[in-house]
Amino acid sequence: MLADDIKKILVSQQEIIAKSKEIGKQISNDYASTVPIIIGLLKGSVPFMAELIKYIEIDCELEFMDVSSYSGTESMGDVRIIKDLDRSIVDRDVIVVEDIVDTGKTLEKVKELLYSKGAATVKVASLLDKPSRRIVDIEADYVGFVVPDEFVIGFGLDFNQKYRNLPYVGVLKEELYKE
Ligand code: IMP
């Protein structure tokens, strides 16, 4: 069973639901006079995006992009656009949904790209924040939970594509990823 691989749970499903409600309410207030495009970064943002949008009580549109910078547990330092947007975002208010802001490189690139595509505003909602690893001076506008400098998995976050389907955020047993 997947749960047998988990050393400890950092953020429970109940906490994620409560926080999603809070952020959803904030977004509903902040974007009351516009129709934001909510862009999920595949694949890690999918569970959080699905939870969050239930609590956004204004009109919004959904889009997805796929960018990649990681293989295993360490950054390769480069961000690749794997799947671009299907529609125009010119003059639109965009909210990027991310699973975690780690070094900040992905967000920097994605924000740059979205502005170059003509977005009016770009804000970021991230389930997790790992500030201790930041290389680029960038912050999410809506943050769920700050996590310590540990490799976390679950609720969208993977280790070699596994564990995304766990309904909570946890830390993997070390013997599973350390040699
Ligand atoms: P950044 O560009 O370093 O901020 O990394 C962003 C991406 O790296 C995230 O969207 C995740 O997919 C991945 N990532 C960073 N830290 C972790 C982690 O602790 N567990 C799983 N994935 C992570």
Side-chain angles (χ1 to χ4, degrees):
M1 301 290 272
L2 279 186
D4 298 335
D5 295 352
I6 307 307
K7 186 166 90 178
K8 64 179 175 211
I9 295 178
L10 285 182
V11 190
S12 71
Q13 186 171 13
Q14 290 71 22
E15 289 174 305
I16 294 172
I17 292 169
K19 186 63 79 174
S20 300
K21 286 184 184 171
E22 208 180 295
I23 296 177
K25 196 156 265 179
Q26 265 179 282
I27 289 176
S28 307
N29 289 331
D30 294 350
Y31 289 82
S33 57
T34 181
V35 179
I37 302 186
I38 302 182
I39 301 179
L41 298 188
L42 294 170
K43 311 177 180 84
S45 72
V46 169
F48 177 48
M49 181 148 159
E51 195 58 46
L52 180 64
I53 58 174
K54 293 180 202 167
Y55 312 109
I56 295 180
E57 297 167 323
I58 53 162
D59 279 332
C60 62
E61 296 170 21
L62 307 185
E63 283 290 320
F64 291 95
M65 273 181 84
D66 195 358
V67 301
S68 159
S69 61
Y70 273 74
S71 165
T73 59
E74 284 302 318
S75 170
M76 297 190 301
D78 205 23
V79 177
R80 289 179 298 141
I81 307 291
I82 294 165
K83 182 207 174 290
D84 213 334
L85 295 173
D86 302 328
R87 292 186 303 133
S88 164
I89 57 166
V90 170
D91 294 334
R92 300 294 302 268
D93 296 306
V94 167
I95 304 170
V96 177
V97 180
E98 179 56 307
D99 51 2
I100 187 167
V101 185
D102 187 27
T103 64
K105 285 181 190 170
T106 306
L107 262 193
E108 183 188 41
K109 291 276 179 210
V110 168
K111 282 184 88 168
E112 247 174 60
L113 180 83
L114 297 175
Y115 275 120
S116 77
K117 285 176 176 289
T121 64
V122 181
K123 287 198 174 182
V124 177
S126 184
L127 173 64
L128 304 176
D129 185 12
K130 212 193 273 180
S132 53
R133 294 239 319 155
R134 201 76 91 251
I135 290 172
V136 178
D137 184 21
I138 200 165
E139 297 299 331
D141 303 274
Y142 307 95
V143 174
F145 305 89
V146 174
V147 291
D149 186 8
E150 287 185 278
F151 192 77
V152 296
I153 39 89
F155 220 87
L157 293 116
D158 74 305
F159 172 61
N160 291 340
Q161 301 305 323
K162 284 168 61 185
Y163 305 105
R164 292 191 198 275
N165 52 322
L166 279 175
Y168 49 77
V169 174
V171 179
L172 213 49
K173 288 179 179 164
E174 274 164 29
E175 62 263 32
L176 291 167
Y177 65 94
K178 294 227 164 106
E179 283 158 22

